[in-house]
Amino acid sequence: RQLVARVGDFVSELAGGCDAGNGANRSNAHERVAIFTHAGVIRAWGAVLGLFAVEAAFEFKVDYGDVVDFTLPCPGTAPEERM
């Protein structure tokens, strides 16, 4: 749960530039970000985005060398639009 909280803070920081009103980005927005990390962080990221419950995170298969794309959560974005 601590990892999920830390990843959640990071996701919020990255998504801070998203404008819910018209989809425009503010000056602190990140259009594309590459993150190299281990499966635990990838699973935590998916849980933070609401793709699955934290308890089900290990059911999300992440193989060595996998590339996983996530879309930052602008307010009002449905979970299925985030991956």
Side-chain angles (χ1 to χ4, degrees):
R1 298 241 181 228
Q2 290 177 353
L3 177 61
V4 172
R6 289 192 310 269
V7 169
D9 290 344
F10 182 64
V11 169
S12 294
E13 182 179 327
L14 287 178
C18 184
D19 181 6
N22 62 11
N25 291 326
R26 296 193 295 259
S27 62
N28 63 335
H30 300 279
E31 201 168 304
R32 290 179 93 59
V33 178
I35 300 171
F36 298 84
T37 189
H38 58 84
V41 172
I42 294 170
R43 290 181 180 117
W45 195 291
V48 166
L49 295 181
L51 299 173
F52 43 78
V54 173
E55 298 78 19
F58 282 97
E59 295 174 25
F60 184 74
K61 183 114 171 92
V62 181
D63 289 325
Y64 182 80
D66 272 356
V67 176
V68 181
D69 270 332
F70 290 116
T71 300
L72 292 176
C74 291
T77 304
E80 57 272 8
E81 297 176 63
R82 298 178 186 169
M83 186 169 176

